[in-house]
Amino acid sequence: MKYASLIYCGIVLITINGCARPESRKVSNIPDKFIDPVNMDTTVRPGDDFFHYANGIWMKNNPIPDKETRWGSFNELREFNAQAVKGLLEEAASNTNAAPGSIEQRVGDFFKSSMDSLAIEEVGAKPIAEDLNRIDKISNLEGIINEINHQQSSGQTSPFYDFYVYQDSKNANKNMPQLSQGGITLPDRDYYLVTNDRNNTIKEAYKKYVSTLFNLTGSPEEQAARNFDTIWKIESVLAKSQKSRVEMRDPIATYNKFSLEQFSQSTEPFNWVEILPELKVNGADSIIVDNPQFFIDEGKLLANTPIEDLKIYLKWNILKRSAPYLSKDFVDANFAFSQVLSGQKVITPRWQRNFTLIDNSIGDLLGQLYVAKYFTPEAKQRMQDLVKNLSTTFAERIQGLDWMSEETKKKALEKLNAFTPKIGYTDKWETYDGLEIKADDFYGNVKRANQWNYDYMVSQYGKPVDRTRWGMTPPTVNAYYNPVNNEIAFPAGILQFPFFAFEADDAINYGGIGAVIGHEMTHGFDDQGRQYAADGNLKDWWTTEDAAKFKERADKVVEQYNKYTVLDTIKVNGSLTLGENLADLGGLAIAYAAFKKTPEGQSNELIDGFTPDQRFFLSWAQVWRMNIRPEIAAQFIVVDPHSPSDARTVGPIVNMDAWYKAFNIQEGDKLFVPEKDRIKVW
């Protein structure tokens, strides 16, 4: 859902899909050695560059495949699992006896239609002809607003702004209509507002992309080229009105509740009293807005822009959203543009793109096929044990904090004890009642799935909050914390090596999945999550003194990560990445403390030449090993709330006394931080 990024704090930015429990398959990704020295560059001192010490030879021997933008443990896991999911899709698609409306029929027919390249080529751009013709007939501003409403309420695209129905942050038991800044195509406002060589190159590629898609739908070349200038002008105004990503991390500043009448008065020509019923939300009298000034400026933009220019922008929204699902010329144009943004050399195979699409569209149907074959009760039980150990350890650490008062500690423990852990998959599968999937109508399947998901979302207004719903599908290799539900979730897909393996020693599992569990728990107490109480409501439960002490420590984390460099000159944005950095720092510290309670954690027995503590930290490091293309690295610095993988590896450990002892790190080593300067928050 399009609001997910506003709510969930995950371990990685990009959702990566896969399957769980390798021992249940005919093949396994379990290595001969969980920490293999052949992957390490032992010519590098661990105290100088722990990232390359742990991963250097692996990185040299594992260049980025042409179809990828980066290559690391997550990608290896995705590649390993993708074949298993592909098998599920192909099996469903070849099942000629599947009952109409069954899981197998709908998953299979969706995949079958997505792989029928001949049929997709035959229809070309016809699937969007009706949309483009409808826009052509618009003659006034009322028609423009009606078209905005139509595109929003069909689930097709989100011109000018994002709209969703979700929990009220200050009343988490109630679903509310909400508005968010949006309307731009490039990944961030800085691509429009900051002039440099990289952004200029991207702008030229964007211009070619716009011109190509308009040309493919019948616009003469000169007109297609001029359309870009119109779109760039409109999107630049929208970008200028947007808050920065750092500003958008403030849950208080981005919570603004208005009556519909009140908000309409300041955002003319938008009349939200009339618009919300058109967006299929009836009976609402108020709305939550993250950036009110954006909508004030946007109203002025609509009122002062020629109708023909607004029509071009609305057509562009249809074109860019549809391009990946149309004929090859559209898909190629879409990829050519993404190449400049990401550096990817060749397009992702069709089946793999379609797997991601199906997972995003009808994930609970595909998820049921997946867990039936690849997830086991033993994996769930093991995770429950780990979560319990981490939770107990976190509580002990809270009780032992020397900077927090007893009053705030009591509230913190109340919140921790109220965490709802979700492991593996949902207890209540979505059935997608009424969603028709046809084997011979790929674009129609995409369109109907978008419509179904939108209709479901808005139908939640006025209903009790469904806390059983997940923000990720079962095959996802990721995890998240959701503050308004005060829940931590670990989809089945992440429960395998290098995060988790039944065969592995405790150091491996605690340095991997243990740190992930601790990471998500800590999100409940990072600079954003700490502002939500045990019941999920956005309210202050800290004493003034404790809040100041927390901020003092958080500011030091910002300073630490601001010093890390990417691509020689680009610096990590410590403010943008603060929440994830705090989660890494707290998560790894909690996981280590929990690990020390295990028999292995209390021993000094060597395995493959490494002590238990060394294996714990090396396990953490190998999770984050990664090669990345410079284009996507530059983009992630702007848009990703997570630090780059090398910074994620070393950022937490240089603050942990145990790492210094495990690898005999001494003053004079490049990563050495004096003990008095090591940052300890949770």
Side-chain angles (χ1 to χ4, degrees), residues 82-94:
Q83 296 299 327
V85 180
K86 181 184 180 185
L88 294 173
L89 292 168
E90 290 175 338
E91 183 179 347
S94 63

Side-chain angles (χ1 to χ4, degrees), residues 49-202:
D49 184 351
F50 192 71
F51 179 70
H52 284 90
Y53 166 77
N55 302 310
I57 301 303
W58 182 93
M59 294 176 69
K60 291 178 182 178
N61 293 337
N62 289 271
I64 306 169
D66 287 348
K67 72 183 183 72
E68 303 287 345
T69 60
R70 47 185 177 165
W71 191 250
S73 291
F74 280 96
N75 307 87
E76 284 189 313
L77 186 52
R78 178 191 65 181
E79 195 70 20
F80 174 77
N81 292 309
Q83 296 299 327
V85 180
K86 181 184 180 185
L88 294 173
L89 292 168
E90 290 175 338
E91 183 179 347
S94 63
N95 185 352
T96 58
N97 297 318
S102 66
I103 296 173
E104 291 78 6
Q105 178 264 310
R106 287 188 285 174
V107 171
D109 283 356
F110 205 147
F111 187 64
K112 189 184 300 181
S113 72
S114 73
M115 296 301 292
D116 190 351
S117 57
L118 293 178
I120 294 170
E121 291 304 308
E122 185 176 345
V123 298
K126 291 179 183 177
I128 60 172
E130 180 182 347
D131 293 315
L132 300 179
N133 290 336
R134 185 183 61 250
I135 296 171
D136 275 333
K137 295 175 182 178
I138 296 173
S139 60
N140 54 34
L141 189 54
E142 180 182 2
I144 292 293
I145 293 177
N146 288 340
E147 177 62 23
I148 296 171
N149 296 341
H150 174 80
Q151 290 190 27
Q152 292 274 2
S153 63
S154 65
Q156 281 182 284
T157 184
S158 303
F160 289 105
Y161 61 85
D162 288 337
F163 171 78
Y164 54 97
V165 172
Y166 195 66
Q167 286 161 274
D168 183 339
S169 294
K170 292 189 177 181
N171 185 1
N173 290 321
K174 183 178 180 180
N175 289 309
M176 281 289 294
Q178 306 191 37
L179 292 170
S180 179
Q181 64 182 31
I184 62 176
T185 301
L186 298 181
D188 187 79
R189 68 172 197 165
D190 282 3
Y191 287 89
Y192 300 86
L193 306 181
V194 177
T195 300
N196 55 40
D197 290 344
R198 181 176 288 106
N199 287 354
N200 289 339
T201 299
I202 290 170

Side-chain angles (χ1 to χ4, degrees), residues 317-370:
N317 276 266
I318 295 293
L319 288 170
K320 69 180 181 182
R321 179 65 179 267
S322 306
Y325 316 119
L326 297 175
S327 52
K328 186 176 183 296
D329 42 9
F330 285 88
V331 173
D332 288 347
N334 177 265
F335 177 65
F337 173 56
S338 71
Q339 275 188 299
V340 178
L341 282 170
S342 69
Q344 186 173 334
K345 301 302 182 184
V346 300
I347 194 169
T348 305
R350 177 186 288 272
W351 72 265
Q352 202 162 1
R353 285 179 277 139
N354 293 332
F355 154 51
T356 302
L357 170 66
I358 293 169
D359 190 42
N360 290 337
S361 300
I362 52 173
D364 271 17
L365 298 184
L366 179 59
Q368 289 178 71
L369 299 179
Y370 156 71

Side-chain angles (χ1 to χ4, degrees), residues 626-672:
M626 180 182 296
N627 287 308
I628 186 168
R629 299 194 190 281
E631 296 89 344
I632 200 69
Q635 182 184 148
F636 280 179
I637 285 297
V638 177
V639 306
D640 191 352
H642 303 84
S643 293
S645 57
D646 51 352
R648 293 193 75 170
T649 299
V650 304
I653 63 175
V654 297
N655 293 301
M656 295 179 63
D657 299 344
W659 174 71
Y660 289 83
K661 183 177 180 181
F663 292 94
N664 192 29
I665 310 302
Q666 301 291 329
E667 187 173 0
D669 292 335
K670 293 178 181 178
L671 294 178
F672 181 85

